[in-house]
Amino acid sequence: MSLANKLAEERRARLAAERLLEQKQAELHAANRKLGRHALALTEEIFETRAEVQTVRDENARVKSDLSAANQKIQIAERRLWHSIQTIQDGFAFFDVDGRMIAANKAWLSVFEGLEEVQPGIAYVEILQIATEEGIVDIGDRRPVEWREAMLDRWQSPDPEPVVIRLWNGESIKLIDQRGHGGDVVSLALNITETVRYEEQLKAAQRAAEAASKAKSSFLANMSHEIRTPMNGIVGMSELLIDTALNDEQRLFADTIKSSGEALLVIINDVLDYSKIEAGKLDLHEEPFDLERCIYELVTLMQVNCRDKGVELLVEYDMFLPGRFVGDPGRIRQVLTNLIGNAVKFTEAGYVIVRATGVQGAGVTELHVSIEDTGIGIPEDKAKHIFGEFNQVDEARNRKFEGSGLGLAISKQLIGMMGGRIWVESEEGAGSTFGFSVSLPAAETLEADDVRLPDGLRTVLVVDPQGVRRAVLSRQMASLGLSVVSAASGAEALALLPRAVDLVMTAHTMPEMDGLELAETMRATGMRLPVLVMSADPAVAEQDPGRRHVQGVLPTPLRRSDFFAAMRGFAAGLRPGGGVGRAMRVLAAEDNKTNRLVFSKMVAALDIDLRFAENGAEAVAIFRNFAPDLMFMDISMPEMDGKAATRCIREAEAGTGRRVPIVAMTAHAMGGDEAEILAAGLDRYLTKPLSKDAISKEIVAACPAGVRPPAAGVQAAS
């Protein structure tokens, strides 16, 4: 190889080496840069870690500081709590789940003063052992082992009952122990020595009072019996004396002796009853009795006094309340006599209402009886004492009212013996309401037929000038589901009667127009609906010539039995004079006055309730309120003709299930008229001039069930 070639080859090798060196230097430079970046990242991470470590160190220091402060607060709270526990006079101790004492205050430990073993760590069973062995507790005749077992059983129960123990020095300690969820026990020891001594003093005083009361009751009972014998002689002989020949002055003296003797016997009987109650010698004798009859009998007896004073005496007996119950009828009657008698005695004007209602349950009825009056009332500060013995509202003001002052006290005792309660609500000068409630088994159940109303009886008109009587009767009728319209006079009733009414119940005695005169006026104007007269003197009403215009005379206060007996006659559809029943309601639409007169004369002999409308619009309006059983519809009338009126009525009936028969009355007798008229919704077709026989047959044919037959001997239209 030539020298030139060698030099060229070496140059190429050198150049290659230089290029390789440059490449390695570039790689080394890149590696140094990467290493620098990594070192920088590590440095930053180290700084961050150091910061986090410092933060944690700072947080730990803060937590340690907070814990230290909290511990200090807890220690302060514990010291204060324990200081408070130490200062209270009652004993306080803690026991762990194993029954060992954790801590106890001085009051708890003072019972074991001088015994060093009673300290934290001692077991409860050891404390019981020390208490009996050292004679700390007075266990009476019980054996120590028996007493400790009883106390340990109590302690180990989940919820220990409080117990009172007696110490050697006569003090009484009440132990109240409460077990926590973890089994720890907090024990309280309350010194109730003074309370026990006070209770013993009260019991001794009560025994002495009961002994004195029994002695008083025995004395009163003996004296009452001793007085009754000569008093019966005085009353009996005065009655015999009255039956002899006496002049007016002598008869006055004898009557005064008799009435005074009877008043004194009432007082003696009250004293005797009260003494029996206090002595525990009064027993209740339960048997079936008629409460409703009892109330009405008492009201009848007291009505004379009420009428003399012009006071209304009313009864509002729940229409669905049984009448017969099981109880002591004599004592129930005695309570009612006292309450109703007091109401009558202290009421000079207004009314007295006896209300009876009840809530029927399983086998028994919670019976509520109240007596409301408009009498003198009771001051608020005296109402709470009114049931006390010998208590009266105001001795000076009530001097004219005689009585023993025992009636209400006896009533309260009797109702209490029956397991009930008695109360009073009153306002001075505005009257009072006395009431009682007792639970009594019902001796009967009201069947559906007992309180059934006639089909079609929906609306009753009550007529009475006295507002309270009208309100009571209206409430009773409304409770039966009837719509009630009321009027204060006969004239007002007549003004209301164009309304749809099925029955009129009117008072007998009313100014200007009495109940019988009202019925007579109704009949004279063509109204045939039934009328019941309510009379305080039914015998007088029965003898009145106007009696023939009414379907019944019922005594007042109204008795349910009388009312539903009348309703049963009503349901049977009996004619006037033979029972009570709703008259058939007929509505005739006729614009011509003469035609109306002719129509009314044609049906005058029929027992129906007839109404007239003078045009179609009026016929639709009366239909809505009157609810007729049959309609006669003139076709040609002003404002609204018969066909349009019929269409309105049929629209009103849609969906009600009811369709009143409508008979056309028209002078149109041309072919095709009948089909056109019937297509408007009418049922039958009569042409004018109308015949009496045809009208009567249409009415008889349309008479619904349960309604009084409008006529006898008339066959229905075919």
Side-chain angles (χ1 to χ4, degrees):
M1 179 183 296
S2 63
L3 180 60
N5 289 336
K6 288 183 179 181
L7 289 174
E9 186 176 341
E10 288 177 359
R11 186 170 58 252
R12 286 195 297 272
R14 186 176 66 253
L15 291 173
E18 288 176 354
R19 286 195 298 272
L20 179 61
L21 178 61
E22 290 176 357
Q23 180 181 352
K24 294 301 181 182
Q25 287 177 343
E27 290 178 355
L28 179 61
H29 185 67
N32 285 335
R33 287 199 304 271
K34 184 176 181 180
L35 182 62
R37 287 194 300 271
H38 185 62
L40 181 60
L42 287 177
T43 302
E44 292 176 352
E45 185 176 350
I46 290 172
F47 282 130
E48 291 176 358
T49 302
R50 286 177 178 175
E52 290 176 358
V53 170
Q54 185 62 39
T55 300
V56 171
R57 287 175 178 173
D58 293 343
E59 182 67 21
N60 287 340
R62 187 184 65 78
V63 169
K64 288 181 180 179
S65 176
D66 291 346
L67 287 175
S68 177
N71 287 329
Q72 290 178 358
K73 291 180 179 179
I74 291 173
Q75 292 174 3
I76 293 173
E78 287 179 345
R79 285 197 302 270
R80 290 174 178 173
L81 175 61
W82 187 246
H83 178 72
S84 300
I85 292 174
Q86 287 285 22
T87 56
I88 63 176
Q89 296 181 352
D90 295 317
F92 195 94
F94 301 95
F95 292 84
D96 63 18
V97 67
D98 297 323
R100 293 191 174 276
M101 182 190 293
I102 298 174
N105 68 352
K106 296 177 181 178
W108 202 95
L109 295 173
S110 63
V111 176
F112 304 92
E113 187 175 0
L115 299 175
E116 296 181 356
E117 56 265 48
V118 181
Q119 60 180 331
I122 188 173
Y124 186 75
V125 65
E126 295 179 82
I127 295 175
L128 297 177
Q129 188 83 19
I130 293 173
T132 54
E133 290 179 353
E134 297 293 334
I136 295 175
V137 294
D138 181 2
I139 60 176
D141 297 333
R142 301 180 67 180
R143 294 184 301 113
V145 174
E146 178 185 349
W147 182 85
R148 289 196 298 268
E149 288 178 351
M151 292 294 290
L152 190 59
D153 289 342
R154 169 190 168 275
W155 173 267
Q156 293 175 343
S157 66
D159 189 14
E161 290 290 332
V163 65
V164 177
I165 62 174
R166 193 176 181 86
L167 301 183
W168 63 274
N169 57 5
E171 292 186 348
S172 297
I173 305 297
K174 184 175 185 178
L175 299 178
I176 302 175
D177 301 318
Q178 180 67 49
R179 189 175 300 279
H181 295 296
D184 294 350
V185 176
V186 176
S187 180
L188 291 177
L190 310 179
N191 193 320
I192 60 171
T193 304
E194 292 302 320
T195 302
V196 171
R197 289 174 182 170
Y198 182 66
E199 288 178 352
E200 291 176 350
Q201 292 173 359
L202 287 179
K203 290 178 181 178
Q206 183 179 5
R207 287 192 294 269
E210 289 174 351
S213 178
K214 288 181 179 179
K216 179 194 69 175
S217 299
S218 177
F219 170 77
L220 290 175
N222 291 333
M223 289 303 297
S224 296
H225 280 296
E226 292 298 325
I227 295 173
R228 284 169 61 87
T229 301
M231 283 307 306
N232 282 327
I234 293 172
V235 174
M237 293 305 293
S238 63
E239 288 180 347
L240 294 175
L241 181 61
I242 291 171
D243 293 335
T244 63
L246 302 174
N247 60 36
D248 292 343
E249 185 178 27
Q250 290 170 334
R251 187 170 300 279
L252 174 62
F253 293 164
D255 286 337
T256 303
I257 294 172
K258 179 176 178 293
S259 61
S260 298
E262 289 174 342
L264 184 55
L265 278 176
V266 171
I267 296 174
I268 293 171
N269 287 335
D270 282 347
V271 173
L272 182 59
D273 278 342
Y274 196 79
S275 65
K276 285 182 179 179
I277 293 173
E278 283 200 326
K281 295 180 180 179
L282 190 145
D283 298 321
L284 298 177
H285 302 282
E286 295 187 347
E287 61 184 78
F289 74 101
D290 194 325
L291 173 68
E292 185 176 11
R293 180 179 178 181
C294 176
I295 291 175
Y296 278 101
E297 285 178 349
L298 290 175
V299 167
T300 300
L301 290 173
M302 298 181 187
Q303 268 187 329
V304 176
N305 290 337
C306 287
R307 279 199 291 266
D308 291 342
K309 296 193 293 184
V311 173
E312 292 289 337
L313 181 54
L314 306 169
V315 177
E316 189 171 352
Y317 200 95
D318 189 336
M319 288 297 198
F320 297 98
L321 183 68
R324 292 178 57 80
F325 296 90
V326 176
D328 189 323
R331 297 307 175 183
I332 291 286
R333 186 184 183 95
Q334 184 176 359
V335 172
L336 287 170
T337 301
N338 284 333
L339 297 183
I340 300 175
N342 271 359
V344 172
K345 180 168 64 174
F346 293 108
T347 302
E348 295 297 317
Y351 61 83
V352 174
I353 302 179
V354 183
R355 292 190 175 93
T357 185
V359 179
Q360 300 182 49
V364 297
T365 297
E366 181 69 22
L367 182 67
H368 298 266
V369 179
S370 64
I371 294 89
E372 177 187 345
D373 65 63
T374 55
I376 62 176
I378 305 171
E380 183 178 356
D381 60 334
K382 295 185 181 294
K384 59 184 177 181
H385 304 298
I386 197 66
F387 291 106
E389 56 189 83
F390 305 107
N391 285 346
Q392 291 185 335
V393 175
D394 190 329
E395 293 182 2
R397 184 174 59 156
N398 298 331
R399 186 67 65 186
K400 64 177 180 177
F401 301 114
E402 298 177 351
S404 64
L406 284 175
L408 293 179
I410 293 172
S411 297
K412 181 180 180 180
Q413 296 280 2
L414 291 175
I415 294 299
M417 292 175 65
M418 298 176 193
R421 68 183 187 92
I422 192 168
W423 71 88
V424 61
E425 297 174 357
S426 184
E427 181 180 350
E428 187 174 9
S432 306
T433 298
F434 283 82
F436 67 88
S437 63
V438 289
S439 294
L440 297 179
E444 67 176 3
T445 56
L446 287 181
E447 303 296 336
D449 289 340
D450 296 333
V451 293
R452 189 183 302 279
L453 295 175
D455 294 335
L457 178 58
R458 293 182 290 271
T459 304
V460 177
L461 172 60
V462 175
V463 188
D464 198 305
Q466 294 294 333
V468 63
R469 283 201 311 248
R470 194 167 62 247
V472 168
L473 186 56
S474 296
R475 282 196 298 268
Q476 288 179 313
M477 295 301 103
S479 71
L480 295 173
L482 298 174
S483 296
V484 180
V485 183
S486 63
S489 66
E492 185 179 341
L494 291 173
L496 291 171
L497 275 175
R499 298 182 55 173
V501 173
D502 305 308
L503 173 66
V504 175
M505 301 181 70
T506 177
H508 179 201
T509 304
M510 296 190 293
E512 299 180 1
M513 178 188 296
D514 67 23
L516 295 174
E517 291 171 337
L518 169 61
E520 185 175 4
T521 304
M522 290 169 55
R523 303 303 179 230
T525 55
M527 287 183 277
R528 304 298 182 192
L529 68 160
V531 178
L532 294 179
V533 170
M534 314 287 109
S535 178
D537 195 346
V540 173
E542 291 286 356
Q543 296 172 2
D544 192 294
R547 169 63 178 86
R548 61 191 176 90
H549 298 295
V550 303
Q551 280 65 48
V553 175
L554 304 183
T556 57
L558 177 65
R559 302 189 185 208
R560 293 186 307 173
S561 57
D562 294 333
F563 174 76
F564 285 114
M567 292 301 99
R568 285 191 290 273
F570 191 8
L574 300 178
R575 298 297 306 277
V580 180
R582 177 175 76 80
M584 182 178 175
R585 291 189 288 261
V586 177
L587 173 59
E590 173 62 68
D591 65 310
N592 186 278
K593 182 177 181 181
T594 301
N595 288 343
R596 291 199 299 271
L597 177 61
V598 172
F599 189 95
S600 65
K601 293 297 183 181
M602 286 182 174
V603 299
L606 299 179
D607 182 20
I608 62 173
D609 187 3
L610 177 64
R611 297 284 192 278
F612 280 107
E614 296 182 6
N615 55 62
E618 186 175 333
V620 174
I622 295 177
F623 163 82
R624 298 181 188 277
N625 296 323
F626 185 48
D629 301 306
L630 173 65
M631 290 184 66
F632 289 90
M633 185 73 73
D634 188 18
I635 298 302
S636 298
M637 292 184 293
E639 296 187 25
M640 178 186 289
D641 65 21
K643 290 183 288 186
T646 299
R647 284 191 288 269
C648 290
I649 290 172
R650 295 308 183 209
E651 290 175 2
E653 290 176 335
T656 65
R658 184 175 184 271
R659 179 185 172 91
V660 60
I662 303 179
V663 178
M665 301 186 301
T666 180
H668 296 280
M670 301 297 291
D673 288 342
E674 180 178 359
E676 181 181 349
I677 291 171
L678 296 180
L682 290 96
D683 299 284
R684 298 178 71 85
Y685 181 94
L686 293 180
T687 59
K688 296 177 180 179
L690 303 174
S691 71
K692 178 179 178 181
D693 184 61
I695 294 175
S696 297
K697 287 183 178 180
E698 292 290 347
I699 292 174
V700 171
C703 182
V707 173
R708 195 163 63 232
V714 178
Q715 294 184 352
S718 58

